[in-house]
Amino acid sequence: MVRRPEPCLAGCSGVVRCIDGEIKVSIDFTPEQIQIRNSVAQLCAEFGDQYWLERDTTGEFPEDFCQAIADHGYMGIAMPAEYGGSGLGITEAAILMQEISRSGAGNGGVSSVSLGIFGLNPVVCYGSEEQKRRALPPVISREDRACFAVTEPETGLDTTRLQTRAVRKNDRYVVNGRKAWTSTAQIANKILLIARTSEPGDPGKPIDGLSLFYTNLDRSKVEIHEIEKMGRKCVDSNLLFIDGLEIPFEDRIGEEGKGF
């Protein structure tokens, strides 16, 4: 059975078809999207197999690659133009990531830039105007380098059970807890952090009570230990011990308790 083609929702001119019960996707990229793909391929060609072999051998973070991505305007590919981004969409960002991976950079190359490209989207969607103007341009230019602290040792990927606490004290929150598998914390100066500010009031809504913050990574309050792992050696994974990290109210993204 062939069903009537449906428009593709990816921002391109493709269609989605169901043929004999199997979903088939046909994508026709726009000329602009093809240009992005070709330009990224040309940029990545400057960082060949030997470059990534050395990073995978030594574990050195590929900062020069990340800076080249930023210098060519790709770090802000999906961020609004008024904050220094390109104002494009997730389709263009996905094309960028696919081309980075296909170039030979693989997971190491993708992981080194993914937080800068995708991670600050909560600030774009829920941040105040002041927060956007303060946070986004330095990430796009790579003046700031961020990590995202979500997973915890006791709860794994079950975000509803997070135990790291952020308690109000005067004009700020004080955070205590642990995070695990936090990528790029070794080189970051900023942290996107989700923590519990209250217990969920409704048993049917376990994600209530979690708040999201984007703030300075104060290494005097956060002890960072790299986790040894197989693969992707050049992009660090870390265990974070947070002891009294102070976060100003103005660094909370969106409503308190609605961070998820």
Side-chain angles (χ1 to χ4, degrees):
M1 179 189 76
V2 179
R3 216 164 66 186
R4 179 178 62 84
E6 297 292 339
C8 179
L9 300 180
C12 53
S13 57
V15 295
V16 180
R17 296 182 174 88
C18 180
I19 302 175
D20 295 329
E22 185 177 351
I23 298 297
K24 302 286 187 180
V25 180
S26 173
I27 296 178
D28 296 319
F29 290 121
T30 66
E32 291 78 12
Q33 290 168 341
I34 293 172
Q35 184 179 14
I36 290 171
R37 186 182 65 191
N38 293 341
S39 297
V40 173
Q42 185 175 5
L43 171 60
C44 289
E46 300 175 19
F47 301 87
D49 291 347
Q50 187 61 36
Y51 175 87
W52 292 107
L53 176 60
E54 290 173 359
R55 296 304 177 280
D56 200 43
T57 301
T58 65
E60 179 185 351
F61 188 84
E63 182 58 40
D64 46 352
F65 169 76
C66 295
Q67 191 61 57
I69 292 291
D71 291 345
H72 284 75
Y74 292 121
M75 198 68 77
I77 191 169
M79 294 188 191
E82 57 265 38
Y83 308 111
S86 300
L88 300 176
I90 296 300
T91 298
E92 288 77 16
I95 291 170
L96 165 65
M97 291 302 212
Q98 183 185 36
E99 204 57 43
I100 290 174
S101 181
R102 183 162 58 182
S103 74
N107 193 17
V110 168
S111 297
S112 68
V113 297
S114 59
L115 185 63
I117 292 169
F118 295 112
L120 271 291
N121 197 50
V123 178
V124 174
C125 294
Y126 300 105
S128 66
E129 182 65 24
E130 186 276 331
Q131 286 174 327
K132 293 175 188 178
R133 295 200 177 278
R134 173 162 52 95
L136 299 181
V139 169
I140 291 170
S141 67
R142 203 153 175 83
E143 178 184 345
D144 282 344
R145 294 171 288 184
C147 61
F148 193 6
V150 182
T151 307
E152 295 182 2
E154 294 83 6
T155 59
L157 295 175
D158 186 354
T159 311
T160 65
R161 297 172 54 226
L162 295 182
Q163 297 301 311
T164 295
R165 296 301 300 257
V167 178
R168 281 176 173 261
K169 185 177 181 181
N170 298 325
D171 62 344
R172 58 197 59 226
Y173 294 90
V174 179
V175 182
N176 291 279
R178 294 192 296 169
K179 295 292 182 178
W181 298 109
T182 302
S183 296
T184 70
Q186 293 290 331
I187 55 96
N189 67 310
K190 293 286 186 176
I191 184 170
L192 189 65
L193 170 72
I194 190 164
R196 186 164 293 286
T197 45
S198 65
E199 296 300 326
D202 185 346
K205 295 182 178 179
I207 60 173
D208 285 355
L210 295 170
S211 298
L212 187 68
F213 306 91
Y214 182 67
T215 193
N216 291 327
L217 179 56
D218 182 355
R219 293 173 185 269
S220 71
K221 303 295 184 180
V222 183
E223 190 176 335
I224 303 171
H225 294 274
E226 188 168 358
I227 301 172
E228 291 293 334
K229 62 184 187 299
M230 292 180 64
R232 207 194 70 173
K233 187 174 182 178
C234 63
V235 179
D236 50 280
S237 298
N238 301 276
L239 183 64
L240 274 56
F241 296 88
I242 305 171
D243 184 10
L245 176 65
E246 296 186 354
I247 301 179
F249 286 163
E250 56 265 29
D251 287 353
R252 189 190 71 228
I253 308 302
E255 297 180 49
E256 183 178 282
K258 301 297 182 183
F260 186 84

